[in-house]
Amino acid sequence: MTSVLITGGGTGIGAAAAELFAKAGHHVTITGRRADVLAATAERLGVDHVAFDAAEPAALQEALNWLPTSVDVLVNNAGGNTDRRRPAVEPGDLAGIADAWRANFEANVLTTVLVTEALKPRLADNARIVTVGSIAAKLGSGSYGAAKAALEAWNVDTARTLGARGITANLVAPGVTVDTEFFAGTATPEWIASRVSAAFNKRAGTPDEVAETIFFLARPESGHLTGQVIHVNGGAFTAR
Ligand SMILES: NC(=O)c1ccc[n+]([C@@H]2O[C@H](COP(=O)([O-])OP(=O)(O)OC[C@H]3O[C@@H](n4cnc5c(N)ncnc54)[C@H](OP(=O)(O)O)[C@@H]3O)[C@@H](O)[C@H]2O)c1
């Protein structure tokens, strides 16, 4: 049995990944900020949970007391587009623009970098690091896309520096994925339809489909696949 840690595992893609790993017999720990949401998902799936804000160094330091002492699979999934949860910034409001960019950087980049750095001493040889990026890194989406693009650069360094221990680091980049809390009620049917129309299969993805790709990258047999970005988007963006 391997020890699997999934950040943002209380909802959406993270919860689907937790379910997949748990059903395969692994020991799974999920994290997130909302203790009640985490506890409900953990009970439903029969997994462990630890609540903390992954962008806050002090909170993460404290959480280390409760996180697994050895980690075989780290799924850096926590994040999202913070612009969808804040009032729109007026053009020219430089302080507001700075706050909005910092928020997406913290939610997506700092959560991943801090959790990975904190757990590096606990990563087993041949461990797997799978980070959830986004199609937005290729298509734009302002500070959110920029934050996810930063993760792609970080992923390469992580794969390079840990490669000698057999540890792999890869990034899964989903396109529009429904049945998550990502859109926080902000995606109109017209917006979803316009995005879906760009996909070759003319539909949105599901958390289970993204989870399957995470699971594949976490397999022991995937040890020669590292430093890559794997897109899961029905063809809405093709990597070559
Ligand atoms: N859904 C899509 O269309 C889509 C497309 C491309 C990429 N993605 C990426 O997929 C990943 C998963 O998102 P999702 O779609 O499954 O949406 P989601 O349901 O909103 O899941 C995001 C999870 O991250 C947690 N989280 C956010 N900030 C955190 C923080 N600072 N510390 C700890 N946990 C935090 C949230 O829990 P708490 O709020 O309780 O902390 C939540 O459970 C994200 O990285 C997102 O950017 C999603």
Side-chain angles (χ1 to χ4, degrees):
M1 186 191 286
T2 58
S3 166
V4 180
L5 181 73
I6 303 173
T7 67
T11 63
I13 292 167
E19 184 164 11
L20 196 53
F21 281 104
K23 279 185 174 160
H26 301 294
H27 178 267
V28 177
T29 305
I30 58 175
T31 79
R33 289 167 298 186
R34 289 166 297 170
D36 54 339
V37 171
L38 271 185
T41 302
E43 187 176 348
R44 177 171 65 84
L45 302 181
V47 303
D48 288 342
H49 63 100
V50 182
F52 64 96
D53 185 338
E56 289 295 333
L60 173 53
Q61 192 69 50
E62 168 68 18
L64 282 173
N65 294 316
W66 312 104
L67 292 172
T69 52
S70 176
V71 175
D72 300 289
V73 177
L74 169 60
V75 181
N76 290 311
N77 164 79
N81 187 345
T82 50
D83 287 348
R84 291 188 177 274
R85 296 167 191 272
R86 307 164 57 94
V89 180
E90 295 296 327
D93 174 5
L94 296 183
I97 292 167
D99 282 348
W101 276 72
R102 280 194 200 99
N104 256 325
F105 184 82
E106 289 183 7
N108 293 284
V109 181
L110 278 192
T111 52
T112 297
V113 171
L114 292 178
V115 170
T116 306
E117 288 295 331
L119 291 176
K120 258 184 194 169
R122 302 185 185 186
L123 288 177
D125 286 349
N126 302 307
R128 303 281 178 257
I129 302 172
V130 184
T131 298
V132 181
S134 174
I135 192 173
K138 304 298 183 203
L139 300 188
S141 300
S143 56
Y144 174 63
K148 292 300 197 186
L151 284 177
E152 295 188 5
W154 169 87
N155 179 61
V156 173
D157 270 346
T158 304
R160 181 187 295 119
T161 54
L162 297 176
R165 289 177 54 198
I167 297 173
T168 66
N170 291 289
L171 196 136
V172 174
V176 173
T177 308
V178 292
D179 298 332
T180 68
E181 295 184 357
F182 179 86
F183 298 104
T186 62
T188 62
E190 294 75 26
W191 186 89
I192 295 269
S194 74
R195 293 304 163 112
V196 165
S197 73
F200 295 157
N201 58 8
K202 305 297 177 201
R203 67 171 177 83
T206 67
D208 286 345
E209 289 173 321
V210 182
E212 286 288 353
T213 304
I214 293 170
F215 191 83
F216 166 75
L217 290 168
R219 295 171 69 223
E221 294 80 2
S222 298
H224 202 47
L225 204 176
T226 193
Q228 308 300 319
V229 177
I230 310 296
H231 289 271
V232 185
N233 58 38
F237 173 84
T238 55
R240 330 180 254 287

